[in-house]
Amino acid sequence: MRGALGGPGVLLRRLREVMAASISPQERLDRLVVLIAGNLVAEVCSVYVLREDGSLELYATEGLNREAVHLTTMRAGEGLVGLIASEAEPLALSDAQAHPSFSYRPETGEEVYRSFLGVPILRGGAVMGVLVIQNRASRIYSEEEIESLQTTAMLMAEMIAAGGLKSLAAPGASIGLDRPIHGVGVILADGVGLGHVVLHEPRVAITNLIAENPAAEVSRLEAAIGEMRASIDELVERGDVAHTGEHRDVLETFRMFAHDQGWLRRMREVVLTGLTAEAAVERVQSDTRAKMLRQTDPYLRERLHDLDDLANRLLRTLVGKANGVTHESLPENAIVVARSMGPAALLDYDRAHLRGLVLEEGGPTSHIAIVARALGIPAVGEVANATALVEAGDAIIVDGQAGEVQIRPQPDVENAYKDKARLRARKQKQYEKLKELPATTRDGVEITLQINAGLIVDIPNIEATAASGIGLFRTELQFMVAQHMPTTAEQQALYTAVLNAVQDRPVTFRTLDIGGDKVLPYMERVEEENPALGWRAIRIGLDKPRLLRAQLRAMLRAGAGRDLKIMLPMVATTDEFRRARMIIRREQAMLEKQGVAPPSDLRVGVMVEVPSLLFELSEIAREADFLSIGTNDLMQFLFAADRENKRVADRFDPLGVGALRALRRIVEAASETGCPVTVCGEMGGKPLETMALIGLGYRGFSMSAASIGPVKAMLRALDVRKLRERMDWMLASPEGATSLRPQLAAFATEFKVPV
Ligand code: PEP
Ligand code: MG
């Protein structure tokens, strides 16, 4: 539309003059509302800013009663302004007072205005306020007017974010930008970290918002889109996506979005309102984000990530920054906040400064979680919208004990966490003291405690915990953090380094457990309806033994003349075990022919994690040299509950009668045949769960290094005979209880067992 003062481009140029003028923030706002009202031929223009408490405060107005400025407030969701803020959508009404949400504020004198147009002030998809125009006459606002007001709102957002309005806040009511936020997610890695936000993929800062020459901006946008498409086409076509860590089908979806006409048209339209190309990309993305964040459909939310990535690529091209993550030097006490991250990216950060990790994605058994635990970095995952809620440098606390984050915490909250961190440090010291003491229960039962590992960074944890060995070495981690498929020589080098480092302690190397949720970025992905039940681990090893054989050679060479333990994952039948063992024997015979010394003692064991093996227990326990229970997978398959799916992962309790009876059968079958058995899933690292497992008869555990202290403290206070009696009784007569957790916890309290 063409307003009284010219087109939208003219408005933006005038707004820029006002922004640049050296006047007070209030005066600036006052002039802006006059300009906007004049340009859009409205009698009223008002700005409401979101406050820390979630309410909206009138910050400036042209047309309404000026006395109401900084006095009139709307609660979240209250009135039309509150509605716009909570929905993050524009609202245009020709008869505002007829709307059910209309809330009359006598001090403003707005009763004479019938038409109403309000738009959210958005930044990075987060609402920062509401911009409104009103007219006396009943009228319909055009699409172009709505567009123009949204563009203006973007400028306001930058003004608020730049801190220009902070000084205007009513006493005791700071603006929402500084609002403390309590985010809830899931525990990825234990610990408490206090520090400041470092964005893993920082938002591209846009300094130039208003176009000098709109036609030139359209050309810049077109050129950047062309470049972005070409780079994505190249990525897809090259077929080698290893260095980006992105997967091919992700790229295909990417390519589809990069050619999405609706998205591109929106950006062109916004450029034509007078913004620079980069400001237009940012605006469209902010609107899209605001809409998508209100979606609960995981598919749509996933698509938001694709669009975010593309928008970021465009922005980088437009402001001349290289694509990809740049790792500037990390500040002290850095807490990295990311949408998602691969394990390799985490390892790129300087450990000495890293205090925590917050992700929008990432379940407790994801690889990034495993690596965070290995590094001892407190981490919380599945924090909705985390990257949009923070600004780089914000104070933040990661509570990996509770699975929570505190963004911009109030001083009392911060102090409470400092206390919590101190308490933890004290406990760690106590665990440290336990290091020298044997892992023996009160009544003299010896328990073997080993650690789970998979990377070189895990190795110092053996000394630090005085663990008796590595009960599960997840060899796939080397593959997952690598940019290319590790060669046999690289594998052998890692295994040798591990064996050298542990000296005479045992290490159980598990053969590659890939497939399912464990995807290698450089390997072709096989599309499966149910990857967890699909072609994975030993199944791949038996069908296409090349990779398995290469790995076995690496293990056997590293283990020449030493004790070597090899463990097979996801075995479902005794027959699978026999076939895999045959391959191992063949490889060993071949190496011996080549003059490689055999291991001084070779043991081949099996993971018990597929429930079918529970019905071949006597066979498998007789034939395998040892058993190790993968409770993560065993529970997921026993209960048919995806270990990564938050909705069902906690639905069934491993301390339930059914699960405990299954676990008892395994330990009984193992002891009948004299086959050693340990527990290496997460269940065996939680004190209460481990207590229950000891009660069932288990004597060996392999767990994350951080669990050794708490588990040792628990078992040293435990009287196994008493627990065993109690558990036999509980399992025989559960009295309708499905979970024995409360009874086990009561036992622990009664006998002062710290769990
Ligand atoms: C398990 O399944 O419990 C296990 C230890 O293996 P992973 O977590 O690597 O699947
Ligand atoms: Mg498993």
Side-chain angles (χ1 to χ4, degrees), residues 258-431:
H259 291 264
D260 183 281
Q261 289 307 320
W263 184 59
L264 302 173
R265 194 182 54 230
R266 281 288 300 133
M267 289 189 293
R268 281 192 202 105
E269 279 167 9
V270 174
V271 169
L272 291 173
T273 67
L275 289 181
T276 58
E278 53 267 39
V281 175
E282 168 89 13
R283 230 218 69 196
V284 170
Q285 195 49 19
S286 190
D287 291 352
T288 313
R289 241 182 176 261
K291 277 196 200 93
M292 299 269 230
L293 286 173
R294 282 162 180 78
Q295 289 281 350
T296 46
D297 183 338
Y299 176 80
L300 284 177
R301 293 186 70 125
E302 198 50 48
R303 300 289 71 81
L304 168 64
H305 294 162
D306 290 346
L307 282 173
D308 262 347
D309 276 355
L310 288 173
N312 272 333
R313 273 168 194 272
L314 274 180
L315 286 177
R316 288 201 182 92
T317 308
L318 285 164
V319 302
K321 278 200 181 162
N323 276 324
V325 188
T326 50
H327 283 278
E328 282 111 37
S329 64
L330 263 196
E332 293 285 324
N333 300 334
I335 304 233
V336 172
V337 181
R339 216 178 57 204
S340 66
M341 201 196 280
L346 181 61
L347 290 166
D348 276 349
Y349 281 101
D350 178 2
R351 283 260 345 254
H353 292 171
L354 200 54
R355 294 284 170 273
L357 174 68
V358 179
L359 299 179
E360 289 184 11
E361 299 173 359
T365 53
S366 60
H367 318 128
I368 184 83
I370 292 167
V371 175
R373 281 199 287 272
L375 297 173
I377 297 167
V380 175
E382 294 181 24
V383 180
N385 203 16
T387 54
L389 295 176
V390 297
E391 293 286 331
D394 277 351
I396 185 168
I397 298 168
V398 182
D399 183 350
Q401 263 178 314
E404 295 177 4
V405 294
Q406 302 285 351
I407 300 166
R408 299 177 289 268
Q410 306 267 29
D412 53 339
V413 173
E414 188 169 331
N415 286 336
Y417 274 95
K418 279 187 179 150
D419 283 349
K420 191 167 177 174
R422 268 195 292 270
L423 190 73
R424 258 188 76 85
R426 253 208 311 277
K427 266 200 170 159
Q428 291 300 344
K429 277 228 171 74
Q430 286 165 1
Y431 296 146

Side-chain angles (χ1 to χ4, degrees), residues 510 513 609 633 643:
R510 180 173 74 182
D513 187 2
E609 52 184 348
D633 277 314
R643 63 195 256 186

Side-chain angles (χ1 to χ4, degrees), residues 314-593:
L314 274 180
L315 286 177
R316 288 201 182 92
T317 308
L318 285 164
V319 302
K321 278 200 181 162
N323 276 324
V325 188
T326 50
H327 283 278
E328 282 111 37
S329 64
L330 263 196
E332 293 285 324
N333 300 334
I335 304 233
V336 172
V337 181
R339 216 178 57 204
S340 66
M341 201 196 280
L346 181 61
L347 290 166
D348 276 349
Y349 281 101
D350 178 2
R351 283 260 345 254
H353 292 171
L354 200 54
R355 294 284 170 273
L357 174 68
V358 179
L359 299 179
E360 289 184 11
E361 299 173 359
T365 53
S366 60
H367 318 128
I368 184 83
I370 292 167
V371 175
R373 281 199 287 272
L375 297 173
I377 297 167
V380 175
E382 294 181 24
V383 180
N385 203 16
T387 54
L389 295 176
V390 297
E391 293 286 331
D394 277 351
I396 185 168
I397 298 168
V398 182
D399 183 350
Q401 263 178 314
E404 295 177 4
V405 294
Q406 302 285 351
I407 300 166
R408 299 177 289 268
Q410 306 267 29
D412 53 339
V413 173
E414 188 169 331
N415 286 336
Y417 274 95
K418 279 187 179 150
D419 283 349
K420 191 167 177 174
R422 268 195 292 270
L423 190 73
R424 258 188 76 85
R426 253 208 311 277
K427 266 200 170 159
Q428 291 300 344
K429 277 228 171 74
Q430 286 165 1
Y431 296 146
E432 192 86 350
K433 283 194 201 127
L434 289 182
K435 219 177 105 173
E436 310 304 329
L437 302 172
T440 309
T441 65
R442 254 173 89 97
D443 51 345
V445 178
E446 273 182 42
I447 308 288
T448 309
L449 300 182
Q450 302 188 83
I451 58 163
N452 293 346
L455 299 165
I456 279 290
V457 291
D458 290 311
I459 304 302
N461 288 334
I462 301 184
E463 288 297 335
T465 57
S468 61
I470 298 178
L472 165 64
F473 191 90
R474 290 182 165 102
T475 59
E476 61 275 9
L477 290 190
Q478 183 191 17
F479 285 68
M480 281 167 5
V481 301
Q483 307 287 308
H484 62 262
M485 177 85 79
T487 62
T488 313
E490 284 166 340
Q491 296 174 49
Q492 185 185 335
L494 173 67
Y495 307 150
T496 307
V498 173
L499 289 170
N500 288 344
V502 302
Q503 292 164 3
D504 53 356
R505 297 178 176 110
V507 182
T508 305
F509 290 104
R510 180 173 74 182
T511 61
L512 265 188
D513 187 2
I514 49 169
D517 61 325
K518 296 170 184 172
V519 181
L520 301 184
Y522 41 80
M523 244 174 92
E524 200 185 333
R525 188 181 187 146
V526 186
E527 274 311 320
E528 294 180 305
E529 281 287 319
N530 284 307
L533 308 180
W535 199 53
R536 50 179 297 200
I538 198 66
R539 301 171 184 185
I540 302 179
L542 291 173
D543 295 354
K544 289 228 157 96
R546 230 169 59 122
L547 194 58
L548 175 64
R549 286 178 45 204
Q551 182 177 37
L552 291 170
R553 279 197 297 278
M555 286 177 187
L556 290 162
R557 280 178 188 275
R562 313 185 193 223
D563 290 356
L564 181 65
K565 294 171 98 177
I566 298 178
M567 178 155 74
L568 304 164
M570 292 298 296
V571 169
T573 64
T574 313
D575 184 53
E576 279 185 339
F577 171 75
R578 287 182 195 128
R579 286 165 55 204
R581 190 182 46 194
M582 188 66 80
I583 297 176
I584 298 174
R585 286 185 180 154
R586 236 184 278 140
E587 289 308 316
Q588 193 191 339
M590 259 170 49
L591 286 178
E592 274 177 51
K593 262 194 221 142

